[in-house]
PDB file of all heavy atoms in Angstrom:
ATOM      1  N   GLU A   1     -69.278-136.799  83.265  1.00  0.00           N
ATOM      2  CA  GLU A   1     -70.682-137.052  82.949  1.00  0.00           C
ATOM      3  C   GLU A   1     -70.942-136.853  81.467  1.00  0.00           C
ATOM      4  O   GLU A   1     -70.374-135.953  80.844  1.00  0.00           O
ATOM      5  CB  GLU A   1     -71.551-136.100  83.784  1.00  0.00           C
ATOM      6  CG  GLU A   1     -73.021-136.469  83.830  1.00  0.00           C
ATOM      7  CD  GLU A   1     -73.871-135.650  82.863  1.00  0.00           C
ATOM      8  OE1 GLU A   1     -73.314-134.770  82.174  1.00  0.00           O
ATOM      9  OE2 GLU A   1     -75.086-135.905  82.787  1.00  0.00           O
ATOM     10  N   GLY A   2     -71.747-137.744  80.873  1.00  0.00           N
ATOM     11  CA  GLY A   2     -72.097-137.647  79.463  1.00  0.00           C
ATOM     12  C   GLY A   2     -73.558-137.289  79.279  1.00  0.00           C
ATOM     13  O   GLY A   2     -74.433-137.860  79.941  1.00  0.00           O
ATOM     14  N   ASN A   3     -73.828-136.340  78.380  1.00  0.00           N
ATOM     15  CA  ASN A   3     -75.194-135.916  78.099  1.00  0.00           C
ATOM     16  C   ASN A   3     -75.348-135.619  76.607  1.00  0.00           C
ATOM     17  O   ASN A   3     -74.424-135.858  75.826  1.00  0.00           O
ATOM     18  CB  ASN A   3     -75.561-134.699  78.958  1.00  0.00           C
ATOM     19  CG  ASN A   3     -74.560-133.573  78.810  1.00  0.00           C
ATOM     20  OD1 ASN A   3     -74.328-133.073  77.717  1.00  0.00           O
ATOM     21  ND2 ASN A   3     -73.926-133.165  79.921  1.00  0.00           N
ATOM     22  N   ASP A   4     -76.486-135.097  76.207  1.00  0.00           N
ATOM     23  CA  ASP A   4     -76.727-134.843  74.792  1.00  0.00           C
ATOM     24  C   ASP A   4     -75.931-133.662  74.253  1.00  0.00           C
ATOM     25  O   ASP A   4     -75.996-133.375  73.054  1.00  0.00           O
ATOM     26  CB  ASP A   4     -78.219-134.602  74.549  1.00  0.00           C
ATOM     27  CG  ASP A   4     -78.981-135.900  74.334  1.00  0.00           C
ATOM     28  OD1 ASP A   4     -78.414-136.968  74.641  1.00  0.00           O
ATOM     29  OD2 ASP A   4     -80.128-135.856  73.858  1.00  0.00           O
ATOM     30  N   GLY A   5     -75.166-132.986  75.111  1.00  0.00           N
ATOM     31  CA  GLY A   5     -74.310-131.902  74.658  1.00  0.00           C
ATOM     32  C   GLY A   5     -72.834-132.245  74.724  1.00  0.00           C
ATOM     33  O   GLY A   5     -71.988-131.385  74.510  1.00  0.00           O
ATOM     34  N   GLY A   6     -72.507-133.509  75.018  1.00  0.00           N
ATOM     35  CA  GLY A   6     -71.117-133.930  75.078  1.00  0.00           C
ATOM     36  C   GLY A   6     -70.752-134.483  76.441  1.00  0.00           C
ATOM     37  O   GLY A   6     -71.599-134.968  77.195  1.00  0.00           O
ATOM     38  N   ALA A   7     -69.462-134.404  76.776  1.00  0.00           N
ATOM     39  CA  ALA A   7     -68.966-134.847  78.069  1.00  0.00           C
ATOM     40  C   ALA A   7     -68.500-133.640  78.871  1.00  0.00           C
ATOM     41  O   ALA A   7     -67.928-132.703  78.318  1.00  0.00           O
ATOM     42  CB  ALA A   7     -67.808-135.829  77.897  1.00  0.00           C
ATOM     43  N   THR A   8     -68.749-133.677  80.172  1.00  0.00           N
ATOM     44  CA  THR A   8     -68.409-132.545  81.028  1.00  0.00           C
ATOM     45  C   THR A   8     -67.827-133.053  82.342  1.00  0.00           C
ATOM     46  O   THR A   8     -68.185-134.140  82.812  1.00  0.00           O
ATOM     47  CB  THR A   8     -69.652-131.662  81.269  1.00  0.00           C
ATOM     48  OG1 THR A   8     -69.293-130.521  82.038  1.00  0.00           O
ATOM     49  CG2 THR A   8     -70.731-132.435  81.990  1.00  0.00           C
ATOM     50  N   VAL A   9     -66.918-132.287  82.934  1.00  0.00           N
ATOM     51  CA  VAL A   9     -66.177-132.712  84.115  1.00  0.00           C
ATOM     52  C   VAL A   9     -66.439-131.765  85.279  1.00  0.00           C
ATOM     53  O   VAL A   9     -66.488-130.546  85.107  1.00  0.00           O
ATOM     54  CB  VAL A   9     -64.654-132.749  83.821  1.00  0.00           C
ATOM     55  CG1 VAL A   9     -63.877-133.100  85.086  1.00  0.00           C
ATOM     56  CG2 VAL A   9     -64.352-133.751  82.721  1.00  0.00           C
ATOM     57  N   SER A  10     -66.604-132.346  86.456  1.00  0.00           N
ATOM     58  CA  SER A  10     -66.690-131.566  87.689  1.00  0.00           C
ATOM     59  C   SER A  10     -65.589-132.019  88.631  1.00  0.00           C
ATOM     60  O   SER A  10     -65.307-133.217  88.742  1.00  0.00           O
ATOM     61  CB  SER A  10     -68.052-131.751  88.365  1.00  0.00           C
ATOM     62  OG  SER A  10     -68.086-131.074  89.611  1.00  0.00           O
ATOM     63  N   THR A  11     -64.970-131.072  89.310  1.00  0.00           N
ATOM     64  CA  THR A  11     -63.947-131.394  90.319  1.00  0.00           C
ATOM     65  C   THR A  11     -64.418-131.044  91.727  1.00  0.00           C
ATOM     66  O   THR A  11     -63.641-131.129  92.677  1.00  0.00           O
ATOM     67  CB  THR A  11     -62.643-130.646  90.011  1.00  0.00           C
ATOM     68  OG1 THR A  11     -62.893-129.243  90.000  1.00  0.00           O
ATOM     69  CG2 THR A  11     -62.077-131.081  88.670  1.00  0.00           C
ATOM     70  N   ASP A  12     -65.696-130.656  91.839  1.00  0.00           N
ATOM     71  CA  ASP A  12     -66.233-130.266  93.143  1.00  0.00           C
ATOM     72  C   ASP A  12     -67.574-130.938  93.428  1.00  0.00           C
ATOM     73  O   ASP A  12     -68.475-130.338  93.991  1.00  0.00           O
ATOM     74  CB  ASP A  12     -66.364-128.745  93.235  1.00  0.00           C
ATOM     75  CG  ASP A  12     -67.140-128.142  92.073  1.00  0.00           C
ATOM     76  OD1 ASP A  12     -67.825-128.900  91.337  1.00  0.00           O
ATOM     77  OD2 ASP A  12     -67.062-126.913  91.886  1.00  0.00           O
ATOM     78  N   GLY A  13     -67.687-132.190  93.001  1.00  0.00           N
ATOM     79  CA  GLY A  13     -68.890-132.945  93.319  1.00  0.00           C
ATOM     80  C   GLY A  13     -70.131-132.507  92.582  1.00  0.00           C
ATOM     81  O   GLY A  13     -71.242-132.797  93.023  1.00  0.00           O
ATOM     82  N   GLY A  14     -69.986-131.824  91.471  1.00  0.00           N
ATOM     83  CA  GLY A  14     -71.134-131.429  90.662  1.00  0.00           C
ATOM     84  C   GLY A  14     -71.588-130.008  90.857  1.00  0.00           C
ATOM     85  O   GLY A  14     -72.569-129.588  90.229  1.00  0.00           O
ATOM     86  N   ALA A  15     -70.905-129.230  91.680  1.00  0.00           N
ATOM     87  CA  ALA A  15     -71.291-127.825  91.871  1.00  0.00           C
ATOM     88  C   ALA A  15     -71.010-127.006  90.615  1.00  0.00           C
ATOM     89  O   ALA A  15     -71.812-126.146  90.234  1.00  0.00           O
ATOM     90  CB  ALA A  15     -70.558-127.231  93.073  1.00  0.00           C
ATOM     91  N   THR A  16     -69.876-127.256  89.959  1.00  0.00           N
ATOM     92  CA  THR A  16     -69.526-126.580  88.718  1.00  0.00           C
ATOM     93  C   THR A  16     -69.033-127.618  87.716  1.00  0.00           C
ATOM     94  O   THR A  16     -68.565-128.709  88.090  1.00  0.00           O
ATOM     95  CB  THR A  16     -68.440-125.510  88.928  1.00  0.00           C
ATOM     96  OG1 THR A  16     -67.260-126.147  89.454  1.00  0.00           O
ATOM     97  CG2 THR A  16     -68.916-124.442  89.907  1.00  0.00           C
ATOM     98  N   TRP A  17     -69.110-127.253  86.415  1.00  0.00           N
ATOM     99  CA  TRP A  17     -68.763-128.196  85.349  1.00  0.00           C
ATOM    100  C   TRP A  17     -67.956-127.509  84.257  1.00  0.00           C
ATOM    101  O   TRP A  17     -68.068-126.293  84.052  1.00  0.00           O
ATOM    102  CB  TRP A  17     -70.038-128.773  84.723  1.00  0.00           C
ATOM    103  CG  TRP A  17     -70.892-129.537  85.688  1.00  0.00           C
ATOM    104  CD1 TRP A  17     -71.877-129.033  86.491  1.00  0.00           C
ATOM    105  CD2 TRP A  17     -70.825-130.935  85.971  1.00  0.00           C
ATOM    106  NE1 TRP A  17     -72.431-130.034  87.250  1.00  0.00           N
ATOM    107  CE2 TRP A  17     -71.813-131.218  86.948  1.00  0.00           C
ATOM    108  CE3 TRP A  17     -70.049-131.988  85.483  1.00  0.00           C
ATOM    109  CZ2 TRP A  17     -72.030-132.496  87.445  1.00  0.00           C
ATOM    110  CZ3 TRP A  17     -70.257-133.260  85.969  1.00  0.00           C
ATOM    111  CH2 TRP A  17     -71.240-133.511  86.948  1.00  0.00           C
ATOM    112  N   SER A  18     -67.158-128.300  83.547  1.00  0.00           N
ATOM    113  CA  SER A  18     -66.469-127.785  82.369  1.00  0.00           C
ATOM    114  C   SER A  18     -67.492-127.500  81.276  1.00  0.00           C
ATOM    115  O   SER A  18     -68.612-128.014  81.289  1.00  0.00           O
ATOM    116  CB  SER A  18     -65.426-128.797  81.874  1.00  0.00           C
ATOM    117  OG  SER A  18     -66.052-130.019  81.495  1.00  0.00           O
ATOM    118  N   THR A  19     -67.107-126.681  80.291  1.00  0.00           N
ATOM    119  CA  THR A  19     -68.039-126.247  79.264  1.00  0.00           C
ATOM    120  C   THR A  19     -68.428-127.374  78.327  1.00  0.00           C
ATOM    121  O   THR A  19     -67.680-128.345  78.147  1.00  0.00           O
ATOM    122  CB  THR A  19     -67.437-125.093  78.446  1.00  0.00           C
ATOM    123  OG1 THR A  19     -68.368-124.700  77.428  1.00  0.00           O
ATOM    124  CG2 THR A  19     -66.142-125.533  77.763  1.00  0.00           C
ATOM    125  N   GLU A  20     -69.596-127.231  77.698  1.00  0.00           N
ATOM    126  CA  GLU A  20     -70.043-128.232  76.725  1.00  0.00           C
ATOM    127  C   GLU A  20     -69.548-127.908  75.315  1.00  0.00           C
ATOM    128  O   GLU A  20     -69.495-128.783  74.452  1.00  0.00           O
ATOM    129  CB  GLU A  20     -71.574-128.291  76.703  1.00  0.00           C
ATOM    130  CG  GLU A  20     -72.231-126.974  76.300  1.00  0.00           C
ATOM    131  CD  GLU A  20     -73.733-127.065  76.251  1.00  0.00           C
ATOM    132  OE1 GLU A  20     -74.256-128.047  75.700  1.00  0.00           O
ATOM    133  OE2 GLU A  20     -74.390-126.151  76.765  1.00  0.00           O
ATOM    134  N   HIS A  21     -69.203-126.648  75.033  1.00  0.00           N
ATOM    135  CA  HIS A  21     -68.841-126.254  73.677  1.00  0.00           C
ATOM    136  C   HIS A  21     -67.350-126.427  73.429  1.00  0.00           C
ATOM    137  O   HIS A  21     -66.648-125.497  73.042  1.00  0.00           O
ATOM    138  CB  HIS A  21     -69.261-124.804  73.422  1.00  0.00           C
ATOM    139  CG  HIS A  21     -70.749-124.607  73.426  1.00  0.00           C
ATOM    140  ND1 HIS A  21     -71.605-125.448  72.753  1.00  0.00           N
ATOM    141  CD2 HIS A  21     -71.532-123.680  74.018  1.00  0.00           C
ATOM    142  CE1 HIS A  21     -72.854-125.038  72.929  1.00  0.00           C
ATOM    143  NE2 HIS A  21     -72.835-123.971  73.708  1.00  0.00           N
ATOM    144  N   ASN A  22     -66.839-127.637  73.652  1.00  0.00           N
ATOM    145  CA  ASN A  22     -65.431-127.892  73.380  1.00  0.00           C
ATOM    146  C   ASN A  22     -65.226-129.238  72.688  1.00  0.00           C
ATOM    147  O   ASN A  22     -64.142-129.787  72.722  1.00  0.00           O
ATOM    148  CB  ASN A  22     -64.596-127.809  74.664  1.00  0.00           C
ATOM    149  CG  ASN A  22     -65.072-128.782  75.728  1.00  0.00           C
ATOM    150  OD1 ASN A  22     -66.006-129.546  75.521  1.00  0.00           O
ATOM    151  ND2 ASN A  22     -64.419-128.767  76.885  1.00  0.00           N
ATOM    152  N   GLN A  23     -66.275-129.758  72.057  1.00  0.00           N
ATOM    153  CA  GLN A  23     -66.199-131.018  71.315  1.00  0.00           C
ATOM    154  C   GLN A  23     -67.014-130.890  70.027  1.00  0.00           C
ATOM    155  O   GLN A  23     -68.216-130.666  70.091  1.00  0.00           O
ATOM    156  CB  GLN A  23     -66.758-132.169  72.150  1.00  0.00           C
ATOM    157  CG  GLN A  23     -66.102-132.339  73.499  1.00  0.00           C
ATOM    158  CD  GLN A  23     -67.069-132.837  74.555  1.00  0.00           C
ATOM    159  OE1 GLN A  23     -67.954-133.628  74.273  1.00  0.00           O
ATOM    160  NE2 GLN A  23     -66.907-132.361  75.777  1.00  0.00           N
ATOM    161  N   PRO A  24     -66.397-131.010  68.863  1.00  0.00           N
ATOM    162  CA  PRO A  24     -67.146-130.898  67.600  1.00  0.00           C
ATOM    163  C   PRO A  24     -67.778-132.232  67.217  1.00  0.00           C
ATOM    164  O   PRO A  24     -67.401-132.869  66.238  1.00  0.00           O
ATOM    165  CB  PRO A  24     -66.069-130.471  66.605  1.00  0.00           C
ATOM    166  CG  PRO A  24     -64.833-131.128  67.123  1.00  0.00           C
ATOM    167  CD  PRO A  24     -64.958-131.138  68.626  1.00  0.00           C
ATOM    168  N   THR A  25     -68.756-132.673  67.996  1.00  0.00           N
ATOM    169  CA  THR A  25     -69.335-134.005  67.794  1.00  0.00           C
ATOM    170  C   THR A  25     -70.839-133.961  67.582  1.00  0.00           C
ATOM    171  O   THR A  25     -71.524-134.955  67.773  1.00  0.00           O
ATOM    172  CB  THR A  25     -69.016-134.901  69.003  1.00  0.00           C
ATOM    173  OG1 THR A  25     -69.459-134.246  70.204  1.00  0.00           O
ATOM    174  CG2 THR A  25     -67.528-135.167  69.109  1.00  0.00           C
ATOM    175  N   GLY A  26     -71.376-132.787  67.196  1.00  0.00           N
ATOM    176  CA  GLY A  26     -72.810-132.677  66.976  1.00  0.00           C
ATOM    177  C   GLY A  26     -73.285-133.596  65.857  1.00  0.00           C
ATOM    178  O   GLY A  26     -72.580-133.822  64.876  1.00  0.00           O
ATOM    179  N   GLN A  27     -74.486-134.121  66.010  1.00  0.00           N
ATOM    180  CA  GLN A  27     -75.068-135.026  65.016  1.00  0.00           C
ATOM    181  C   GLN A  27     -75.986-134.237  64.088  1.00  0.00           C
ATOM    182  O   GLN A  27     -77.055-133.790  64.497  1.00  0.00           O
ATOM    183  CB  GLN A  27     -75.884-136.119  65.697  1.00  0.00           C
ATOM    184  CG  GLN A  27     -75.087-137.037  66.599  1.00  0.00           C
ATOM    185  CD  GLN A  27     -76.008-137.937  67.380  1.00  0.00           C
ATOM    186  OE1 GLN A  27     -76.368-137.630  68.514  1.00  0.00           O
ATOM    187  NE2 GLN A  27     -76.405-139.052  66.803  1.00  0.00           N
ATOM    188  N   PHE A  28     -75.596-134.105  62.833  1.00  0.00           N
ATOM    189  CA  PHE A  28     -76.448-133.413  61.866  1.00  0.00           C
ATOM    190  C   PHE A  28     -77.334-134.426  61.142  1.00  0.00           C
ATOM    191  O   PHE A  28     -76.862-135.426  60.618  1.00  0.00           O
ATOM    192  CB  PHE A  28     -75.592-132.651  60.856  1.00  0.00           C
ATOM    193  CG  PHE A  28     -75.291-131.237  61.272  1.00  0.00           C
ATOM    194  CD1 PHE A  28     -74.235-130.966  62.122  1.00  0.00           C
ATOM    195  CD2 PHE A  28     -76.095-130.192  60.847  1.00  0.00           C
ATOM    196  CE1 PHE A  28     -73.971-129.676  62.533  1.00  0.00           C
ATOM    197  CE2 PHE A  28     -75.840-128.899  61.256  1.00  0.00           C
ATOM    198  CZ  PHE A  28     -74.773-128.635  62.098  1.00  0.00           C
ATOM    199  N   TYR A  29     -78.625-134.113  61.098  1.00  0.00           N
ATOM    200  CA  TYR A  29     -79.563-134.978  60.404  1.00  0.00           C
ATOM    201  C   TYR A  29     -79.590-134.710  58.905  1.00  0.00           C
ATOM    202  O   TYR A  29     -79.883-135.592  58.110  1.00  0.00           O
ATOM    203  CB  TYR A  29     -80.969-134.790  60.977  1.00  0.00           C
ATOM    204  CG  TYR A  29     -81.153-135.404  62.340  1.00  0.00           C
ATOM    205  CD1 TYR A  29     -81.290-134.616  63.482  1.00  0.00           C
ATOM    206  CD2 TYR A  29     -81.191-136.782  62.497  1.00  0.00           C
ATOM    207  CE1 TYR A  29     -81.475-135.181  64.727  1.00  0.00           C
ATOM    208  CE2 TYR A  29     -81.374-137.357  63.738  1.00  0.00           C
ATOM    209  CZ  TYR A  29     -81.511-136.550  64.851  1.00  0.00           C
ATOM    210  OH  TYR A  29     -81.685-137.124  66.083  1.00  0.00           O
ATOM    211  N   HIS A  30     -79.347-133.474  58.504  1.00  0.00           N
ATOM    212  CA  HIS A  30     -79.340-133.140  57.078  1.00  0.00           C
ATOM    213  C   HIS A  30     -78.636-131.812  56.897  1.00  0.00           C
ATOM    214  O   HIS A  30     -78.385-131.075  57.861  1.00  0.00           O
ATOM    215  CB  HIS A  30     -80.763-133.053  56.513  1.00  0.00           C
ATOM    216  CG  HIS A  30     -81.541-131.896  57.059  1.00  0.00           C
ATOM    217  ND1 HIS A  30     -81.524-130.657  56.471  1.00  0.00           N
ATOM    218  CD2 HIS A  30     -82.340-131.771  58.143  1.00  0.00           C
ATOM    219  CE1 HIS A  30     -82.281-129.825  57.175  1.00  0.00           C
ATOM    220  NE2 HIS A  30     -82.774-130.485  58.200  1.00  0.00           N
ATOM    221  N   VAL A  31     -78.302-131.475  55.650  1.00  0.00           N
ATOM    222  CA  VAL A  31     -77.612-130.230  55.326  1.00  0.00           C
ATOM    223  C   VAL A  31     -78.241-129.620  54.086  1.00  0.00           C
ATOM    224  O   VAL A  31     -78.574-130.334  53.133  1.00  0.00           O
ATOM    225  CB  VAL A  31     -76.106-130.480  55.068  1.00  0.00           C
ATOM    226  CG1 VAL A  31     -75.428-129.198  54.600  1.00  0.00           C
ATOM    227  CG2 VAL A  31     -75.420-130.989  56.318  1.00  0.00           C
ATOM    228  N   ASN A  32     -78.416-128.291  54.110  1.00  0.00           N
ATOM    229  CA  ASN A  32     -78.867-127.547  52.936  1.00  0.00           C
ATOM    230  C   ASN A  32     -77.937-126.366  52.684  1.00  0.00           C
ATOM    231  O   ASN A  32     -77.266-125.882  53.612  1.00  0.00           O
ATOM    232  CB  ASN A  32     -80.308-127.040  53.113  1.00  0.00           C
ATOM    233  CG  ASN A  32     -81.325-128.086  52.708  1.00  0.00           C
ATOM    234  OD1 ASN A  32     -81.301-128.564  51.577  1.00  0.00           O
ATOM    235  ND2 ASN A  32     -82.205-128.459  53.626  1.00  0.00           N
ATOM    236  N   LEU A  33     -77.903-125.886  51.436  1.00  0.00           N
ATOM    237  CA  LEU A  33     -77.063-124.755  51.041  1.00  0.00           C
ATOM    238  C   LEU A  33     -77.911-123.675  50.394  1.00  0.00           C
ATOM    239  O   LEU A  33     -79.003-123.950  49.886  1.00  0.00           O
ATOM    240  CB  LEU A  33     -75.994-125.208  50.040  1.00  0.00           C
ATOM    241  CG  LEU A  33     -75.155-126.439  50.415  1.00  0.00           C
ATOM    242  CD1 LEU A  33     -74.223-126.810  49.265  1.00  0.00           C
ATOM    243  CD2 LEU A  33     -74.367-126.189  51.686  1.00  0.00           C
ATOM    244  N   ASP A  34     -77.415-122.438  50.404  1.00  0.00           N
ATOM    245  CA  ASP A  34     -78.111-121.367  49.690  1.00  0.00           C
ATOM    246  C   ASP A  34     -77.216-120.848  48.560  1.00  0.00           C
ATOM    247  O   ASP A  34     -76.182-121.449  48.235  1.00  0.00           O
ATOM    248  CB  ASP A  34     -78.543-120.248  50.646  1.00  0.00           C
ATOM    249  CG  ASP A  34     -77.362-119.514  51.280  1.00  0.00           C
ATOM    250  OD1 ASP A  34     -76.232-119.608  50.757  1.00  0.00           O
ATOM    251  OD2 ASP A  34     -77.571-118.844  52.306  1.00  0.00           O
ATOM    252  N   HIS A  35     -77.629-119.703  47.936  1.00  0.00           N
ATOM    253  CA  HIS A  35     -76.928-119.201  46.759  1.00  0.00           C
ATOM    254  C   HIS A  35     -76.093-117.964  47.051  1.00  0.00           C
ATOM    255  O   HIS A  35     -75.689-117.256  46.127  1.00  0.00           O
ATOM    256  CB  HIS A  35     -77.943-118.892  45.649  1.00  0.00           C
ATOM    257  CG  HIS A  35     -78.626-120.114  45.121  1.00  0.00           C
ATOM    258  ND1 HIS A  35     -79.782-120.615  45.705  1.00  0.00           N
ATOM    259  CD2 HIS A  35     -78.317-120.953  44.113  1.00  0.00           C
ATOM    260  CE1 HIS A  35     -80.163-121.698  45.050  1.00  0.00           C
ATOM    261  NE2 HIS A  35     -79.295-121.922  44.074  1.00  0.00           N
ATOM    262  N   GLN A  36     -75.847-117.673  48.304  1.00  0.00           N
ATOM    263  CA  GLN A  36     -74.961-116.561  48.618  1.00  0.00           C
ATOM    264  C   GLN A  36     -73.521-116.908  48.201  1.00  0.00           C
ATOM    265  O   GLN A  36     -73.190-118.053  47.901  1.00  0.00           O
ATOM    266  CB  GLN A  36     -74.985-116.267  50.123  1.00  0.00           C
ATOM    267  CG  GLN A  36     -76.326-115.849  50.678  1.00  0.00           C
ATOM    268  CD  GLN A  36     -76.229-115.503  52.148  1.00  0.00           C
ATOM    269  OE1 GLN A  36     -75.608-114.504  52.508  1.00  0.00           O
ATOM    270  NE2 GLN A  36     -76.842-116.319  52.994  1.00  0.00           N
ATOM    271  N   PHE A  37     -72.668-115.891  48.205  1.00  0.00           N
ATOM    272  CA  PHE A  37     -71.246-116.119  47.973  1.00  0.00           C
ATOM    273  C   PHE A  37     -70.444-115.418  49.063  1.00  0.00           C
ATOM    274  O   PHE A  37     -70.515-114.183  49.163  1.00  0.00           O
ATOM    275  CB  PHE A  37     -70.806-115.602  46.598  1.00  0.00           C
ATOM    276  CG  PHE A  37     -69.353-115.911  46.315  1.00  0.00           C
ATOM    277  CD1 PHE A  37     -68.987-117.159  45.830  1.00  0.00           C
ATOM    278  CD2 PHE A  37     -68.371-114.972  46.572  1.00  0.00           C
ATOM    279  CE1 PHE A  37     -67.653-117.452  45.587  1.00  0.00           C
ATOM    280  CE2 PHE A  37     -67.030-115.264  46.344  1.00  0.00           C
ATOM    281  CZ  PHE A  37     -66.674-116.504  45.841  1.00  0.00           C
ATOM    282  N   PRO A  38     -69.678-116.150  49.870  1.00  0.00           N
ATOM    283  CA  PRO A  38     -69.668-117.620  49.924  1.00  0.00           C
ATOM    284  C   PRO A  38     -71.030-118.170  50.368  1.00  0.00           C
ATOM    285  O   PRO A  38     -71.762-117.508  51.114  1.00  0.00           O
ATOM    286  CB  PRO A  38     -68.604-117.918  50.977  1.00  0.00           C
ATOM    287  CG  PRO A  38     -67.834-116.663  51.167  1.00  0.00           C
ATOM    288  CD  PRO A  38     -68.775-115.548  50.876  1.00  0.00           C
ATOM    289  N   PHE A  39     -71.344-119.355  49.891  1.00  0.00           N
ATOM    290  CA  PHE A  39     -72.641-119.930  50.229  1.00  0.00           C
ATOM    291  C   PHE A  39     -72.704-120.223  51.731  1.00  0.00           C
ATOM    292  O   PHE A  39     -71.697-120.426  52.389  1.00  0.00           O
ATOM    293  CB  PHE A  39     -72.894-121.190  49.414  1.00  0.00           C
ATOM    294  CG  PHE A  39     -71.918-122.313  49.657  1.00  0.00           C
ATOM    295  CD1 PHE A  39     -72.101-123.220  50.691  1.00  0.00           C
ATOM    296  CD2 PHE A  39     -70.814-122.473  48.821  1.00  0.00           C
ATOM    297  CE1 PHE A  39     -71.197-124.251  50.912  1.00  0.00           C
ATOM    298  CE2 PHE A  39     -69.906-123.513  49.035  1.00  0.00           C
ATOM    299  CZ  PHE A  39     -70.100-124.394  50.077  1.00  0.00           C
ATOM    300  N   HIS A  40     -73.920-120.228  52.264  1.00  0.00           N
ATOM    301  CA  HIS A  40     -74.145-120.545  53.675  1.00  0.00           C
ATOM    302  C   HIS A  40     -74.717-121.952  53.801  1.00  0.00           C
ATOM    303  O   HIS A  40     -75.316-122.480  52.856  1.00  0.00           O
ATOM    304  CB  HIS A  40     -75.087-119.526  54.311  1.00  0.00           C
ATOM    305  CG  HIS A  40     -74.400-118.233  54.654  1.00  0.00           C
ATOM    306  ND1 HIS A  40     -74.638-117.548  55.811  1.00  0.00           N
ATOM    307  CD2 HIS A  40     -73.463-117.510  53.990  1.00  0.00           C
ATOM    308  CE1 HIS A  40     -73.905-116.461  55.860  1.00  0.00           C
ATOM    309  NE2 HIS A  40     -73.177-116.410  54.758  1.00  0.00           N
ATOM    310  N   ILE A  41     -74.539-122.517  54.980  1.00  0.00           N
ATOM    311  CA  ILE A  41     -74.906-123.902  55.248  1.00  0.00           C
ATOM    312  C   ILE A  41     -75.983-123.936  56.323  1.00  0.00           C
ATOM    313  O   ILE A  41     -75.928-123.184  57.303  1.00  0.00           O
ATOM    314  CB  ILE A  41     -73.673-124.699  55.712  1.00  0.00           C
ATOM    315  CG1 ILE A  41     -72.561-124.604  54.659  1.00  0.00           C
ATOM    316  CG2 ILE A  41     -74.020-126.157  55.984  1.00  0.00           C
ATOM    317  CD1 ILE A  41     -71.202-124.923  55.192  1.00  0.00           C
ATOM    318  N   TYR A  42     -76.952-124.823  56.143  1.00  0.00           N
ATOM    319  CA  TYR A  42     -78.073-124.946  57.073  1.00  0.00           C
ATOM    320  C   TYR A  42     -78.221-126.418  57.462  1.00  0.00           C
ATOM    321  O   TYR A  42     -78.056-127.310  56.632  1.00  0.00           O
ATOM    322  CB  TYR A  42     -79.376-124.472  56.425  1.00  0.00           C
ATOM    323  CG  TYR A  42     -79.327-123.057  55.918  1.00  0.00           C
ATOM    324  CD1 TYR A  42     -78.685-122.748  54.714  1.00  0.00           C
ATOM    325  CD2 TYR A  42     -79.924-122.016  56.623  1.00  0.00           C
ATOM    326  CE1 TYR A  42     -78.630-121.445  54.238  1.00  0.00           C
ATOM    327  CE2 TYR A  42     -79.888-120.706  56.153  1.00  0.00           C
ATOM    328  CZ  TYR A  42     -79.232-120.432  54.956  1.00  0.00           C
ATOM    329  OH  TYR A  42     -79.188-119.153  54.495  1.00  0.00           O
ATOM    330  N   GLY A  43     -78.537-126.674  58.726  1.00  0.00           N
ATOM    331  CA  GLY A  43     -78.752-128.056  59.127  1.00  0.00           C
ATOM    332  C   GLY A  43     -79.326-128.165  60.517  1.00  0.00           C
ATOM    333  O   GLY A  43     -79.242-127.234  61.320  1.00  0.00           O
ATOM    334  N   ALA A  44     -79.921-129.331  60.783  1.00  0.00           N
ATOM    335  CA  ALA A  44     -80.536-129.603  62.088  1.00  0.00           C
ATOM    336  C   ALA A  44     -79.710-130.649  62.818  1.00  0.00           C
ATOM    337  O   ALA A  44     -79.279-131.645  62.241  1.00  0.00           O
ATOM    338  CB  ALA A  44     -81.963-130.100  61.898  1.00  0.00           C
TER     339      ALA A  44
END
């Protein structure tokens, strides 16, 4: 099954599913940085 959090698999008819946090495919709309060292990254 595909959703806004990635693709997930069930082997028991939908009772349980594989995790969503195993695909680095998030869509970033923008990125910002700050002045820390190391600098930090911000985005939506």
Side-chain angles (χ1 to χ4, degrees):
E1 195 260 358
N3 54 58
D4 274 14
T8 183
V9 176
S10 175
T11 59
D12 52 15
T16 60
W17 299 88
S18 62
T19 179
E20 61 179 315
H21 294 314
N22 58 1
Q23 304 147 35
T25 54
Q27 297 171 265
F28 270 84
Y29 287 109
H30 68 89
V31 174
N32 274 303
L33 310 176
D34 65 18
H35 294 88
Q36 298 183 68
F37 184 83
F39 62 86
H40 282 221
I41 303 160
Y42 303 78

